[in-house]
């Protein structure tokens, strides 16, 4: 008996679609289709995962005859509404807390540094000398939040590069509302920061600190709202997963069109990484110059450059 027959029987015995199996294995539906058509063969880690999923040995799956195995009703994938079997929603919600909070901590550290630099607020020169240290402490704490969260998200994407869409229309509508609310509240907080700067313009240090506090709150609300809103766009998540594939994974897909898209996505992802690394280097350099007050602008500028790259690729028709 062939691997294809075993695979088709086991999937049918659990009332499992190709999309559902692909989601559980972290591959595209096209990959499962090619396996069942014997035009490609799964990698060893996928074979082992199938063995665990269908409760069989590797020899039974590849060389044995499992077509006589009865259906296991207790292990079926629930029919009807798709299920979040990968824990995607919780992973994205956790990331939507940690990333904006880390960004806000960096900005709050800069605000505290400005307050410590204000002679009217801190009359002791020795304490004012700690302002620069405060900037780096805030940056360190922020990075301690952002980097692990980013690594966790990358690990999740590597484990589950393709996730079947399980969100309902109401959930998507709520996500869009969260994004809109975050953008509006963030804009209000930014305007409040600008107003505080005007009101407190007699004290430059205090005005700058007030603006950064409002900007930190605004950044938290905007980034969190955008992350929660965009999490429902699983089509985009699956497209971006192509950019994180290794050459071995791309070659194993057995789909020339999908492989070409994956290579384009890898090049685009590399360009974004290069831009943001350059922005980080510029920001760190600015932090030690007379223009230190503007070092945070390096990252928004880097983001704008990335958006420009994406717009250019879209205009050229790259997907």
């Amino acid at each position: 008996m062939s691997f294809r027959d075993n695979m088709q029987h086991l999937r049918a015995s659990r009332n499992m679609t190709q999309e559902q199996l692909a989601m559980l294995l972290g591959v595209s539906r096209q990959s499962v289709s090619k396996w069942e058509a014997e035009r490609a063969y799964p990698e060893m880690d996928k074979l082992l995962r199938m063995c665990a999923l269908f409760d069989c040995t590797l020899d039974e799956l590849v060389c044995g005859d499992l077509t006589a195995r009865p259906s296991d009703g207790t292990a079926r994938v629930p029919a009807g509404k798709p299920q979040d079997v990968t824990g995607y929603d919780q992973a994205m919600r956790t990331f939507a807390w940690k990333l904006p909070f880390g960004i806000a901590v960096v900005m709050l550290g800069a605000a505290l540094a400005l307050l410590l630099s204000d002679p009217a607020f801190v009359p002791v020169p020795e304490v004012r000398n700690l302002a620069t240290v405060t900037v780096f402490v805030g940056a360190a704490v922020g990075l301690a939040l952002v980097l692990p969260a980013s690594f966790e998200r990358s690990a999740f994407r590597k484990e589950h590069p393709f996730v079947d869409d399980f969100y309902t229309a109401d959930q998507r509508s709520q996500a869009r509302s969260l994004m809109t609310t975050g953008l509006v509240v963030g804009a209000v907080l930014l305007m409040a920061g600008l107003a505080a700067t005007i009101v407190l313009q007699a004290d430059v240090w205090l005005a700058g600190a007030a603006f950064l506090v409002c900007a930190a709150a605004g950044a938290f609300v905007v980034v969190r709202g955008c992350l929660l809103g965009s999490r429902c766009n699983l089509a985009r998540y699956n497209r971006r997963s192509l950019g994180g594939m290794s050459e071995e994974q791309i070659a194993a897909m057995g789909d020339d069109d999908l492989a070409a898209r994956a290579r384009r996505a890898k090049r685009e992802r590399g360009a974004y990484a290069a831009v943001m690394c350059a922005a980080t280097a510029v920001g760190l350099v600015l932090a030690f110059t007379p223009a230190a007050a503007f070092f945070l602008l390096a990252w928004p500028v880097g983001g704008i450059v990335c958006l420009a790259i994406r717009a250019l690729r879209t205009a050229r028709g790259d997907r």
Side-chain angles (χ1 to χ4, degrees):
M1 191 60 60
S2 68
F3 165 73
R4 177 189 63 183
D5 294 331
N6 284 332
M7 184 175 173
Q8 289 177 337
H9 172 75
L10 291 171
R11 182 169 60 77
S13 71
R14 301 200 180 189
N15 194 29
M16 186 184 296
T17 66
Q18 287 185 343
E19 289 83 357
Q20 290 168 331
L21 179 59
M23 175 181 61
L24 293 171
L25 296 177
V27 299
S28 67
R29 186 200 61 78
Q30 291 91 337
S31 294
V32 175
S33 178
K34 288 183 180 296
W35 296 344
E36 295 190 350
E38 294 188 329
R39 286 187 289 161
Y41 202 73
E43 297 173 325
M44 180 58 70
D45 64 316
K46 302 300 186 298
L47 288 171
L48 294 176
R49 194 175 299 181
M50 276 190 277
C51 290
L53 179 65
F54 295 122
D55 191 23
C56 62
T57 66
L58 184 60
D59 286 341
E60 289 174 333
L61 179 63
V62 176
C63 305
D65 182 2
L66 297 173
T67 57
R69 175 183 288 192
S71 299
D72 185 359
T74 62
R76 292 187 177 189
V77 173
K81 177 181 177 298
Q83 304 293 311
D84 181 17
V85 297
T86 63
Y88 168 87
D89 189 72
Q90 183 57 49
M92 295 305 107
R93 287 181 179 275
T94 300
F95 183 71
W97 271 112
K98 293 182 178 180
L99 178 65
F101 187 60
I103 293 173
V105 167
V106 173
M107 299 178 74
L108 289 174
L112 181 57
L114 288 176
L115 285 178
L116 291 176
S117 300
D118 187 357
F121 187 76
V122 180
V124 183
E126 288 76 10
V127 177
R128 292 202 300 271
N129 292 335
L130 297 176
T132 303
V133 176
T134 305
V135 171
F136 286 101
V137 169
V141 174
L143 289 174
L145 292 168
V146 170
L147 292 180
S150 299
F151 293 150
E152 289 171 6
R153 190 184 191 214
S154 297
F156 180 90
R157 185 184 289 277
K158 185 175 181 180
E159 181 72 15
H160 306 287
F162 299 98
V163 177
D164 195 24
D165 195 347
F166 57 88
Y167 287 108
T168 64
D170 287 341
Q171 288 173 324
R172 291 193 184 91
S173 178
Q174 292 172 2
R176 287 192 295 269
S177 297
L178 283 172
M179 182 180 293
T180 302
T181 301
L183 292 173
V184 171
V185 173
V188 170
L189 287 168
L190 183 61
M191 294 302 295
L194 292 173
T197 301
I198 295 172
V199 172
L200 300 171
Q201 58 182 325
D203 189 333
V204 176
W205 301 104
L206 183 59
F211 174 77
L212 281 177
V213 169
C214 292
F220 177 85
V221 173
V222 169
V223 175
R224 177 167 167 75
C226 289
L227 288 174
L228 288 176
S230 64
R231 80 187 194 283
C232 293
N233 192 347
L234 282 165
R236 184 176 67 175
Y237 173 89
N238 292 336
R239 285 197 306 270
R240 289 185 173 179
S241 293
L242 293 174
M245 288 185 168
S246 65
E247 281 299 322
E248 292 77 10
Q249 291 173 320
I250 293 174
M253 288 192 294
D255 188 318
D256 293 339
D257 179 64
L258 201 59
R261 288 172 53 194
R263 291 188 175 97
R264 286 197 298 269
K266 282 175 68 67
R267 290 194 295 271
E268 183 177 347
R269 183 175 181 177
Y272 294 156
V275 168
M276 294 312 296
C277 285
T280 300
V282 171
L284 292 176
V285 170
L286 286 176
F288 293 96
T289 68
F294 303 101
F295 83 100
L296 288 174
L297 292 177
W299 288 276
V301 171
I304 292 172
V305 173
C306 290
L307 289 175
I309 294 174
R310 178 58 185 166
L312 179 61
R313 293 181 65 87
T314 302
R316 291 170 51 190
D318 291 346
R319 298 296 179 189

